[in-house]
Amino acid sequence: MHRLITRWHPFALLALLSLVLLLPAVLGAPLGFDEARFLEDTRALAGGGNEPIATPGAHWLGLIVLWAGGEGVPLWGTRLPDLLCAVLGVLVVHDIGRTVFNKKIALVAGALFAASLALNGIGTRAGAGAPGALAGLALMDLLMRLHLQAKGGAPMALWMAHGFWFVLGAALLTQGLAWPLLGVVFLALMSAERRGLGWLVPLRPFPGVIFLAAVIGPWLAALPEGTLGTALWPPMAGEPALVAPTALLVLWPTVLFAAPALGRLWNERADPANSGLAAWLIGAVGLIALHDTAALAALPGLAPLALASAAALFAVRDGTYERFRHPPALGVYALWGTATGWLIVEAGDRAAWSTEACLAAAATTLAGLYTLILIGRGRYLNATVAALLTALLLRLAP
């Protein structure tokens, strides 16, 4: 791990991993209904359409692509902004891990986040998901820094305080209230713990609210009557690649060590980093109850889960490794193996079980089985690498 960090800059390594995981779908995935509708709205804006769009910020990067490539831009070209936002989102997760833990944990957390099906679902298709996730992750990055500062950590720079209000406006303009609501829950839980709001002063709320109003005010004023609810809570229905049958599939393969990670998060909640991640997770779970799909809460909950899992993998001396063999953890391993088998069969069916598909299925199956074997031998960090290899082989399957 030390050689990996010193010979390769972690940001470059994670960016390369993200591209390898996401590019196959960017180049080869068929056009879906929601993606087609999103691109139609983007082209309407590029053509000078005057009808207000519910979340205009999600279309701005797409407008740049259309203006640069014209109407003849290929489908994969329209997906490049989402790919870029997804890769940057992985780097933001790494930055959060480096801030609250250390470089090794940050690298593993970023890799787990990059390999998830949830990120693959939004980072490989044109839509509001990836830009909204990038803005939301940046928002939570700054809130975690604020939380640590109040607990005696490094002080936030002035530009970070101003940046908070900027990314809050960006999150509202790209995906409505989803990520801002998560931030509100986080602030409420942390304020209840401190029994006061004084720790929010570094955010400079008075000028910040004025700036936020200037950013989103014109957009809200331009919305037609009766569309405010849709704009603030846009529908999130149904690309099959994103809205998986269960949250386990949406969070695959990151959920592999969720049981010991969550147990450690609760037991070590006195630690500022863990209490912040716990508040983040509580807010993400709450989003599931407010929406009819797990997709809306997948990415908000995925980042803290990846960070908690990575921290648990390096927690050798505090008894966490004993939790890796408790019944809840064993149950998750079994479910993970079942989900892996289901994904392999689904990939084979899509390719009509051609020779290439059969070879890819065999290689992915071996990698998945090797992951479970390493878990049985107690080599959990190596098992994480094998799980990432499983995800990579699955993405590269024809």
Side-chain angles (χ1 to χ4, degrees):
M1 178 66 73
H2 177 72
R3 290 184 177 181
L4 200 61
I5 293 176
T6 54
R7 292 186 179 181
W8 283 80
H9 194 285
F11 284 107
L13 189 64
L14 287 174
L16 178 61
L17 174 64
S18 302
L19 289 174
V20 173
L21 287 165
L22 297 174
L23 268 177
V26 169
L27 299 175
L31 179 67
F33 174 77
D34 290 336
E35 185 179 20
R37 185 172 56 185
F38 179 86
L39 292 175
E40 183 179 347
D41 289 342
T42 304
R43 290 190 173 94
L45 284 177
N50 295 321
E51 184 178 349
I53 300 296
T55 51
H59 298 271
W60 291 339
L61 292 175
L63 287 175
I64 296 174
V65 171
L66 291 179
W67 285 334
E71 287 297 325
V73 63
L75 178 60
W76 63 265
T78 64
R79 294 169 171 171
L80 290 181
D82 300 84
L83 174 65
L84 174 63
C85 289
V87 173
L88 291 177
V90 172
L91 301 185
V92 172
V93 172
H94 173 272
D95 184 67
I96 298 172
R98 192 174 56 173
T99 300
V100 302
F101 294 119
N102 57 50
K103 291 182 179 180
K104 292 182 179 180
I105 293 176
L107 180 62
V108 174
L112 288 172
F113 184 81
S116 69
L117 287 183
L119 187 68
N120 183 74
I122 65 166
T124 59
R125 290 162 178 78
L134 175 60
L137 288 169
L139 181 72
M140 295 308 299
D141 187 358
L142 294 171
L143 286 179
M144 287 293 292
R145 288 175 181 272
L146 177 68
H147 166 61
L148 293 179
Q149 174 184 330
K151 292 287 189 177
M156 289 179 64
L158 179 61
W159 69 267
M160 292 182 181
H162 296 318
F164 169 81
W165 298 101
F166 174 80
V167 297
L168 178 58
L172 283 166
L173 290 173
T174 52
Q175 215 169 17
L177 282 175
W179 285 93
L181 270 179
L182 177 60
V184 168
V185 173
F186 180 89
L187 292 174
L189 291 173
M190 294 295 97
S191 297
E193 180 190 34
R194 294 175 174 84
R195 298 181 181 179
L197 300 174
W199 70 290
L200 301 179
V201 171
L203 289 180
R204 293 163 174 79
F206 181 70
V209 170
I210 295 175
F211 173 76
L212 179 64
V215 171
I216 68 172
W219 163 62
L220 292 175
L223 289 174
E225 185 177 353
T227 62
L228 179 62
T230 302
L232 294 179
W233 198 256
M236 292 285 294
E239 289 288 351
L242 179 59
V243 185
T246 65
L248 178 66
L249 286 177
V250 175
L251 299 175
W252 186 93
T254 313
V255 76
L256 179 60
F257 296 120
L262 294 176
R264 180 179 184 273
L265 203 62
W266 177 254
N267 286 341
E268 303 292 331
R269 61 188 180 278
D271 181 81
N274 290 327
S275 64
L277 291 179
W280 185 348
L281 270 172
I282 290 171
V285 172
L287 287 179
I288 299 177
L290 293 175
H291 208 277
D292 57 354
T293 71
L296 182 63
L299 276 165
L302 176 64
L305 182 61
L307 289 162
S309 297
L313 287 167
F314 288 95
V316 180
R317 299 180 181 178
D318 63 1
T320 298
Y321 267 30
E322 296 177 3
R323 297 180 176 274
F324 283 77
R325 294 185 179 275
H326 286 180
L330 298 178
V332 174
Y333 302 151
L335 290 173
W336 187 91
T338 303
T340 303
W342 186 87
L343 290 168
I344 292 171
V345 171
E346 185 190 40
D349 288 342
R350 285 199 307 268
W353 293 104
S354 61
T355 303
E356 294 82 359
C358 291
L359 292 174
T364 309
T365 301
L366 289 175
L369 290 174
Y370 188 51
T371 301
L372 297 176
I373 290 172
L374 288 172
I375 291 173
R377 297 174 62 182
R379 301 173 65 180
Y380 303 116
L381 193 57
N382 291 344
T384 302
V385 177
L388 294 175
L389 177 61
T390 306
L392 179 60
L393 292 172
L394 190 66
R395 305 292 169 76
L396 296 176

